[in-house]
Amino acid sequence: MATAEAPAMIDAWERVTARLPLTEDLRLPGMLHGAILRSPYPHARLRHIDPRPALAIPGVVAVVTRDDILSDPTLERTYGPQIADEPIVALERVRYVGDRVAAVAAEDEATARAAVQAILVEYEPLPAVFDAVAAARPEAPLVHPDLAAYPGVSLNFDLRPVPGTNICHHFRIRRGDLAAGLAAADLVLEETFFTPSAQHVTMEPHVTVAWWEGDRLVVYTASQTPFDVQRALARLFRLGLEQVRVVVHPLGGGYGAKTFPRLEPLAALLARKAGRPVRLALSREEEFVTLNRHPATITIRLGVRRDGTITAKQVLAYWNTGAYADSGPGVATKGGYHAVGPYRIPHVWVDSYCVYTHLPPNGAFRGYSATQAVWASERMMDLAAERLGLDPLEFRQRNLLRDGDAFATGEVVHDVHFADLLQAAAQAIDWPHDQRTVLPDGTIRAKGLAVTLKGMQTPSRCEARVGLTAEGRLRVYAGTVEMGQGSRTALARLAAAVLDQPLDQVEVVFPDTAVVPFDTRTTSSRSTYMLGTAVQRAATILRQRLLDLAAELLEADPRDLVCRSGRIFVAGVPERALRLGEVVARTGRFELTAQAAFANEGGLDPDTGQGVASSHWHQSAVGAVVRVDPETGRVEVEHVHAAVYAGRVVNPVLARLQTEGNVVFGLGTALFEEIVFGEGQVLNANLSDYLIPSFADIPPRVTVTLLERPGAEVHGLGETALPPTPAAIGNAVARALGVNLTRLPLTPERLRAALAEPERREEG
Amino acid sequence: MTTLLWLEPTTLAEALALRQAYGDEARPIGGGVWVTLLLQQGLLRPRALLALHRLADLTGIGLEPDGTLRLGAGLPLNVVASHPLVRERAPVLARACGLVANVRIRAQGTIGGNLCEADYASDPPAALAALEARVRLASTQGARELPVREFLVGHYQTRVQPEEIVTDLLVPPPLPGARSVYLKFVTRSSEDRPCATVAAVAGLDAEGRCQHLALAVGAVASTPVVRPTVAALARGERLTPALIREIASRFVEGLDLVSDLRGSADYRRHLVRVLLQRALHQVAAAPAGGVRDGDR
C-alpha cells in the first residue's frame, strides 16, 4: 500500500502555482473565438433569422444558424445523452430564456460577442410552463411536441415517456402491496417537500476548442465524459469513432456540470464552417442558463406502526428537467429509489417523473438526485419519529437496512453499514443529550441527524493500461478526468503500490480518446473504485510479465524473484538484480504495457423498479448542531459530523478533504443557494446575487469518520457526505424552532414565516 | 471596437483639469471594484477611465484643528477599518468598513468609491450618515461640502457633478460620552451584501441619560434611513426597554422598504425593529467610546 507520507496530490504544486494545463488556457495559432446568441423568450416560434448584419462586421468569420443544420443532410438534427432532443442551435422554436439561437466565430471574443447581437431574429412568443407539477398536467403547453419522433438514445435503462405530455420518463417501483402496507399502519403521514435549482459554480466555466484536420475532428474540452462526447460527435457529424479525438486536461471543477456533450457540437460546427480552430467559452452568466440542478417536488406517504416499524412508503416525485432532458431520466430513476432511503420496507410504491419545462436544462449535479430525495425522505423520518414519540435515532435504527436485507429494488444488500455510520454521527454530536437548548441570549441550539443510501453508476465498464518505460517510469493510461478530486493521485498510488515504485516515478496520462482505453465516464464517485480496480489488475499483469522477463535474464525461477523499490532481485541475493527499466530495455522496447478491464453489472426494470440499482452502495450519515436566532431566523451551523463508508481508504488526506468539501457544498444548499426565476428568466445569474459558501461560512467544527472494513472494496467519496448534510441541518433547525420545514434553502425569512404559520400536518 | 482611454493623473490639479475636459465621458475610478463590474456587464460605456489611485492627495488621514477627522476618498476600506485614528474617533465607521464583503474587496475598494457607488446594500453609508459626516468635492472652480445624507440621493445616484471629484470625507469630533454600535445582518453567505444594517451613535451623561442619539439604517431603502424626530425621543431620557421598544417601532412606521433576493420589505420591517432594539440595548450597555461587535 502506498504510504501516508506520500504527497496528498501528485500535482499539488502545479495546481497552486497555476501551471496545471487547463483547457481554459489553451490558445492555438489562427484560433477564432465563438459567441452564442441566446433567446430572450422562454418559448417562441423562430419565424426568421438574418445573419447578414453580423457577417458584415469586420473580424467576423462565420455565423451558424439553423439553416446550416437544415440544409446539411450529413448532419444529425439533434443530440442528447438519454433523449436526442437538443439541436446545436434552435431549429423551429426556442424553449427557454438562454436557448441557443445562433453563433458567431470571430477573430476575438469581443467582436464575436458584439456580432451575435447584430443578428436579426423574429420570434413569435408561445405560452410557457415553468413548474414541473403544472407541466406534467395534460393541458400544459408541450416543450417537445415531437418527443415521440426523437431517436431514443437509451444508455442504461429503458425510457418510459408519457405520450402527449411533458413527461419524458416515468420510473416506477412496485414492491409488495402498498394498500395492504398502509392498512397495516397505525399512522400514515403525508408531506410534500421542495428543493430548488442550484448552480455547480465550477471555478473554470465550460470551455471547448475544436478544429478539423480534413475529415477528422479534434476537440480539447473541459468535460467529465470524453468518451460520451466522442460518441455524440461521431453520431452528429456521421463520422467513425476513430475520426473523432477528444482530449481532456484537468478541469477547474466539474460537480456534474461537465457531463455529456455541451459546447462541443457547436464548437465543431463553427470550426467546420470557419475552416479554423474555434474556442467557445461561457461567461459566468451563461453558466446559469447551461446546466443546473433539478428542482424537485417530492411527496411522501409513510405508514408506521406505534412500535416504530415502517409498514409502507409511497413516493411521488417530479424532477424539473428544463427544456432538454440531458441526464434527467437517469436523475428521475435514481431519485426514485434514493427517496426510499436505506430502510427495510415491505411495501414500496414509487412514481418518479422527469418533466420538461421552459427552464434552462437541468442535469447531473453532485449528489445526483440524492440531495433532493434525502431532504424529503429524512425530513419525513423526523416528522414520523416526532408523531410516534420516538427518538429519531432509535426510529431510524429500527428500520435500517442490514447485510442480507432486500432493498426496495429487490436486490439483497451486502457490506452495508448504515447503523454504524448513523451511530458514529450521533455519538460525535453527543446525541441524545441536549437535543434542544434555549441559550441565555434567546438563541436556540439544536441537533439533527440524517442518513443516506446513494447508488453508483450501474452498469458501467472501464479499461486501464499500465506501462513501464525503458527509463523506469511507470505510466498509467486511464479515461478518468481529474477535476480536483485527486483521481490522478489515487490511480498513481494504486499502480505504484502493486509495483512498489516511488510515486515520483509515476505519470498519469491525461484522457485522450486516441491514447487511453475506454471508460464509461467520470461520474457518480466511481473512479477510484472502478478505474482503481482496473489499474491494479493491469499493474498486477505488468508485474508478472516483468518478473517472467527478469527470470529469463537473471536465469532464475520467477517465483524466487522479489519486486521492490523499482528493482527485481533474487530473494536473499539482492545483488542479483535488475532495475525495472532495464528489464524493459533488454527486451528492445521503449515501453512494456499491460491492460485490464473492470465492469459492474446490473440495471432496473423501469416498470417495476426491480433489479440491481447499484453494484455497491455509497453510505453516509450526518449529525448537525445548529444555533438558531428565532427573532431573525438566522441559522449558524456550529458542528457537522459526517460519517462515510470508505471501504478502504486510498488517500487519507484527500478522503477527508472530499468529505469536508461535501459538507460545505451541503451547507450552501441547506442555507442559501437557490436559482431564482422570473417568468423563466434567471434573476441571479452572477456571483453577487447567487452566493456560495465562503471560508467564513464553514462551521467552526467539521469532523469526519472514514469507516473502513478489512478486505473491503474501495468506495468512492466524491459525493457521499453531501446528501445528508442539508437534511441533518434541516432536522436540527426544525427541532430548534418546533416547526415543520419542507422547503430548501432555510433562509431567515422562510424560518420566520414558518414560525408564524399554524402547525400543518396531515393524516392519511 | 472602440478603445477605452486610460487617464492616470498624478496630482489633484491634473485630475481636476481632466475631469473638467472630459466631464461625463470620463468615469473616475478608485479601486475599481464597482466600475469593473459595470464595465464587464456592459452597463457602463465611458470614453475614458479617470484613474485616481496615484493621487497622494486622496489618501491622507488626519485631524483638522477643530477635531474633525479627515479621510482621503482614496483610502482602501481595510485601512479605514484598521487605522487607530478612525478606531478612536469613529469606531462605528471602522467597524462598518471592516465588515464589507471580504478581505480582497476591502483591500481594493476605497471609501470614496464606495460612497460614489451609492449602492443601497452597503455598509459604510449608514455609518457615515449616523456620524453626520460630510463629503468634500473639488473641481477646477473650487471645493464644496455636503452632508453624506444629502450627498446620497437615490439608487446609484449622488450629487457629484460631471466636473467634480470626491476628495475627502469629514467626520465631526465625537461628543462627550459618545458610544456606538454597528450591526450588520446578512441572509445568505457571510460575504453577502447586507439585508439590513443599523448604525447607532449615542452620547450618554454620567447618569446614563441620552444627550444625543443618531440612528441610521442601511440596505433597506435607496439611501440610509435617518429619522431625527424618532431619535430625538431619547433626548434627556434613559434608554429603558420601554423607550427602546417605542423608538424601534416608531422608526419603521410608514417606511417604504425595498424587497430583493436578500429579503422582502415585510421581513426587513421586522428585522429593522429587532436590530434597532438590539443596537439600542448594546449602546446603553457599551462603555464610552466603545463600539460593540455587530451580529453577522
Side-chain angles (χ1 to χ4, degrees):
Chain A
M1 195 63 227
T3 58
E5 306 87 70
M9 280 187 109
I10 54 172
D11 45 19
W13 180 249
E14 287 118 301
R15 193 170 285 278
V16 298
T17 53
R19 268 174 259 184
L20 204 60
L22 301 177
T23 310
E24 168 74 17
D25 298 325
L26 187 67
R27 299 290 185 279
L28 298 173
M31 187 180 80
L32 300 172
H33 296 262
I36 301 169
L37 175 66
R38 296 179 177 278
S39 167
Y41 294 98
H43 190 199
R45 188 164 285 118
L46 269 184
R47 293 173 88 151
H48 185 69
I49 308 179
D50 183 359
R52 284 171 301 179
L55 282 164
I57 294 173
V60 171
V61 178
V63 178
V64 161
T65 70
R66 62 181 176 184
D67 294 337
D68 295 280
I69 297 162
L70 296 174
S71 67
D72 184 346
T74 71
L75 262 186
E76 285 287 336
R77 297 286 163 86
T78 53
Y79 63 92
Q82 295 177 2
I83 301 172
D85 58 4
E86 188 165 2
I88 296 179
V89 290
L91 300 176
E92 42 93 42
R93 68 178 71 212
V94 289
R95 296 186 171 88
Y96 71 94
V97 178
D99 205 354
R100 297 183 299 264
V101 176
V104 166
E107 298 289 348
D108 61 81
E109 202 171 333
T111 304
R113 289 194 182 274
V116 291
Q117 298 309 323
I119 297 170
L120 300 173
V121 188
E122 212 178 297
Y123 299 94
E124 178 192 331
L126 296 168
V129 61
F130 307 113
D131 175 70
V133 178
R137 293 190 189 117
E139 69 274 15
L142 292 181
V143 182
H144 289 274
D146 304 327
L147 173 60
Y150 292 144
V153 184
S154 181
L155 279 185
N156 49 35
F157 54 89
D158 298 319
L159 215 56
R160 291 290 184 274
V162 179
T165 74
N166 284 314
I167 298 167
C168 63
H169 179 56
H170 176 190
F171 169 76
R172 296 175 182 84
I173 292 178
R174 298 289 181 264
R175 182 168 179 80
D177 179 343
L178 180 71
L182 291 174
D186 294 321
L187 189 67
V188 175
L189 293 101
E190 179 174 331
E191 188 58 270
T192 298
F193 303 88
F194 180 74
T195 306
S197 197
Q199 230 298 303
H200 310 74
V201 194
T202 57
M203 203 180 283
E204 173 200 44
H206 286 86
V207 57
T208 298
V209 179
W211 70 92
W212 293 78
E213 294 170 354
D215 61 355
R216 301 172 81 88
L217 172 60
V218 183
V219 177
Y220 277 65
T221 188
S223 172
Q224 298 172 234
T225 58
F227 288 94
D228 287 299
V229 169
Q230 181 197 31
R231 196 161 40 195
L233 290 171
R235 184 187 152 274
L236 256 179
F237 291 94
R238 300 203 182 156
L239 302 168
L241 277 181
E242 71 291 347
Q243 286 171 280
V244 181
R245 181 180 167 200
V246 177
V247 184
V248 178
H249 284 170
L251 311 187
Y255 313 120
K258 295 168 180 173
T259 48
F260 305 114
R262 189 110 324 118
L263 300 179
E264 298 88 354
L266 180 54
L269 187 57
L270 276 170
R272 197 176 75 170
K273 196 164 184 200
R276 286 165 62 178
V278 170
R279 176 180 190 267
L280 206 49
L282 295 187
S283 66
R284 184 61 64 191
E285 190 180 356
E286 287 178 294
E287 288 284 313
F288 284 82
V289 292
T290 297
L291 197 81
N292 300 318
R293 182 178 70 194
H294 283 78
T297 307
I298 301 175
T299 301
I300 290 181
R301 277 174 93 193
L302 194 69
V304 286
R305 279 211 286 267
R306 295 253 171 255
D307 67 358
T309 311
I310 300 174
T311 61
K313 185 167 185 175
Q314 183 178 10
V315 175
L316 175 61
Y318 293 87
W319 304 88
N320 186 332
T321 205
Y324 299 104
D326 200 82
S327 43
V331 168
T333 292
K334 289 182 179 160
Y337 68 72
H338 285 155
V340 177
Y343 300 109
R344 197 174 348 101
I345 310 174
H347 307 285
V348 178
W349 189 312
V350 173
D351 290 275
S352 189
Y353 297 99
C354 182
V355 189
Y356 285 124
T357 66
H358 294 103
L359 289 186
N362 297 305
F365 188 105
R366 194 181 198 180
Y368 205 81
S369 78
T371 303
Q372 299 96 313
V374 171
W375 168 246
S377 174
E378 287 297 284
R379 276 294 301 133
M380 196 57 165
M381 290 300 285
D382 260 33
L383 292 179
E386 192 188 331
R387 283 294 295 274
L388 291 167
L390 293 173
D391 179 277
L393 173 62
E394 278 177 41
F395 173 53
R396 285 179 173 84
Q397 291 285 18
R398 194 163 303 184
N399 293 285
L400 281 175
L401 286 172
R402 285 169 166 84
D403 269 21
D405 285 340
F407 183 49
T409 53
E411 68 206 272
V412 174
V413 297
H414 299 288
D415 198 18
V416 294
H417 307 271
F418 299 109
D420 288 344
L421 292 167
L422 191 60
Q423 193 59 46
Q427 205 171 332
I429 60 168
D430 196 25
W431 188 280
H433 307 293
D434 308 317
Q435 291 183 27
R436 184 180 186 277
T437 314
V438 180
L439 302 174
D441 66 355
T443 60
I444 303 161
R445 177 176 291 139
K447 299 175 179 178
L449 294 168
V451 58
T452 291
L453 151 153
K454 183 184 172 297
M456 185 183 63
Q457 182 65 40
T458 303
S460 79
R461 72 189 177 89
C462 65
E463 290 165 41
R465 189 161 68 242
V466 177
L468 197 90
T469 70
E471 287 154 353
R473 283 182 70 79
L474 188 61
R475 296 215 283 206
V476 178
Y477 300 83
T480 293
V481 173
E482 173 65 61
M483 45 195 185
Q485 83 278 45
S487 62
R488 299 179 77 226
T489 305
L491 298 184
R493 280 185 181 230
L494 290 168
V498 173
L499 285 129
D500 198 38
Q501 276 272 38
L503 212 48
D504 62 5
Q505 287 301 309
V506 187
E507 181 190 345
V508 182
V509 173
F510 293 146
D512 178 340
T513 58
V515 175
V516 303
F518 178 82
D519 172 42
T520 299
R521 58 190 71 104
T522 305
T523 61
S524 73
S525 312
R526 61 184 278 286
S527 296
T528 308
Y529 169 55
M530 295 291 300
L531 269 294
T533 303
V535 163
Q536 288 181 92
R537 286 181 177 181
T540 305
I541 296 168
L542 179 65
R543 183 176 177 276
Q544 192 55 50
R545 279 216 203 143
L546 287 163
L547 287 172
D548 289 345
L549 288 168
E552 282 177 33
L553 296 166
L554 294 169
E555 294 173 357
D557 188 315
R559 282 167 298 186
D560 294 337
L561 295 183
V562 178
C563 178
R564 191 173 300 157
S565 307
R567 291 152 61 87
I568 293 176
F569 56 88
V570 180
V573 197
E575 60 278 10
R576 275 181 69 195
L578 285 168
R579 281 179 290 106
L580 291 183
E582 234 176 305
V583 177
V584 177
R586 298 270 283 271
T587 68
R589 293 179 226 224
F590 172 68
E591 186 177 21
L592 185 71
T593 63
Q595 188 157 327
F598 185 52
N600 59 351
E601 307 290 343
L604 294 177
D605 179 332
D607 297 318
T608 62
Q610 300 302 291
V612 174
S614 188
S615 59
H616 76 205
W617 295 100
H618 295 149
Q619 306 159 38
S620 58
V622 162
V625 182
V626 303
R627 188 165 164 180
V628 188
D629 180 344
E631 265 192 317
T632 62
R634 175 118 180 122
V635 176
E636 302 284 348
V637 179
E638 296 187 326
H639 181 197
V640 174
H641 184 86
V644 296
Y645 183 55
R648 182 156 65 86
V649 173
V650 176
N651 186 336
V653 174
L654 286 199
R656 187 166 294 273
L657 290 177
Q658 266 288 22
T659 303
E660 291 179 6
N662 273 296
V663 167
V664 176
F665 232 77
L667 188 80
T669 282
L671 298 183
F672 47 80
E673 283 190 56
E674 174 171 17
I675 299 182
V676 183
F677 297 95
E679 288 303 297
Q681 184 176 348
V682 179
L683 299 181
N684 52 346
N686 62 67
L687 298 183
S688 302
D689 294 320
Y690 182 94
L691 279 291
I692 59 171
S694 76
F695 276 104
D697 291 308
I698 297 174
R701 288 187 71 203
V702 178
T703 50
V704 170
T705 298
L706 301 172
L707 188 67
E708 292 186 90
R709 187 179 62 79
E713 291 174 335
V714 171
H715 281 57
L717 298 174
E719 306 162 89
T720 312
L722 167 55
T725 298
I729 291 172
N731 284 337
V733 174
R735 181 180 318 283
L737 295 178
V739 297
N740 183 16
L741 300 171
T742 59
R743 195 183 173 96
L744 288 172
L746 306 168
T747 62
E749 181 160 6
R750 228 165 244 159
L751 296 183
R752 282 293 309 170
L755 276 171
E757 243 175 52
E759 201 162 315
R760 179 175 66 91
R761 213 153 291 166
E762 291 154 38
E763 201 154 331
Chain B
M1 302 266 40
T2 50
T3 311
L4 192 60
L5 211 57
W6 179 254
L7 308 172
E8 202 179 64
T10 53
T11 66
L12 182 59
E14 198 188 334
L16 293 175
L18 286 166
R19 187 82 169 120
Q20 181 72 35
Y22 281 86
D24 269 343
E25 295 198 321
R27 167 68 67 152
I29 170 169
V33 169
W34 168 55
V35 173
T36 310
L37 271 177
L38 293 183
L39 288 171
Q40 266 180 358
Q41 292 174 7
L43 295 172
L44 192 67
R45 296 174 192 280
R47 209 177 116 212
L49 292 178
L50 179 58
L52 303 175
H53 64 117
R54 296 182 67 185
L55 304 190
D57 312 84
L58 298 197
T59 54
I61 189 161
L63 290 182
E64 306 280 275
D66 69 347
T68 295
L69 174 66
R70 193 178 66 80
L71 299 168
L75 288 167
L77 293 165
N78 64 349
V79 173
V80 180
S82 58
H83 199 282
L85 215 46
V86 185
R87 290 192 157 197
E88 183 205 323
R89 312 287 290 196
V92 72
L93 178 62
R95 180 75 188 157
C97 289
L99 290 175
V100 172
N102 57 48
V103 66
R104 297 173 299 284
I105 298 287
R106 293 195 292 274
Q108 187 65 30
T110 63
I111 183 73
N114 175 279
L115 206 59
C116 289
E117 174 186 2
D119 191 316
Y120 71 100
S122 187
D123 294 283
L128 289 166
L131 289 167
E132 294 171 32
R134 299 188 309 282
V135 183
R136 182 177 288 159
L137 299 118
S139 71
T140 53
Q141 310 303 308
R144 64 173 178 140
E145 282 180 22
L146 278 174
V148 166
R149 296 175 185 187
E150 289 174 31
F151 175 83
L152 298 167
V153 292
H155 284 291
Y156 309 104
Q157 284 183 313
T158 68
R159 291 207 193 279
V160 182
Q161 294 301 307
E163 69 281 5
E164 285 180 320
I165 288 172
V166 171
T167 56
D168 302 282
L169 294 164
L170 303 162
V171 182
L175 295 168
R179 60 205 72 206
S180 59
V181 168
Y182 182 77
L183 301 182
K184 172 180 190 165
F185 191 84
V186 295
T187 52
R188 302 181 298 185
S189 158
S190 60
E191 291 190 7
D192 199 3
R193 287 177 175 274
C195 177
T197 72
V198 169
V201 179
L204 303 188
D205 66 16
E207 277 76 49
R209 282 194 194 78
C210 198
Q211 299 306 311
H212 168 83
L213 178 66
L215 297 171
V217 173
V220 301
S222 62
T223 59
V225 181
V226 289
R227 306 202 99 177
T229 53
V230 176
L233 293 172
R235 189 163 300 149
E237 303 287 336
R238 282 199 177 82
L239 288 172
T240 61
L243 179 59
I244 287 172
R245 265 198 308 277
E246 192 190 350
I247 291 174
S249 299
R250 294 273 295 274
F251 197 97
V252 296
E253 251 171 42
L255 276 188
D256 191 14
L257 303 179
V258 299
S259 283
D260 61 19
L261 295 175
R262 297 175 203 100
S264 69
D266 281 349
Y267 176 67
R268 279 188 157 100
R269 189 176 309 283
H270 164 78
L271 189 61
V272 169
R273 204 163 39 225
V274 170
L275 295 181
L276 275 172
Q277 291 187 39
R278 289 183 182 180
L280 289 168
H281 277 292
Q282 290 183 22
V283 155
V291 62
R292 295 290 293 247
D293 276 1
D295 284 356
R296 290 287 308 200

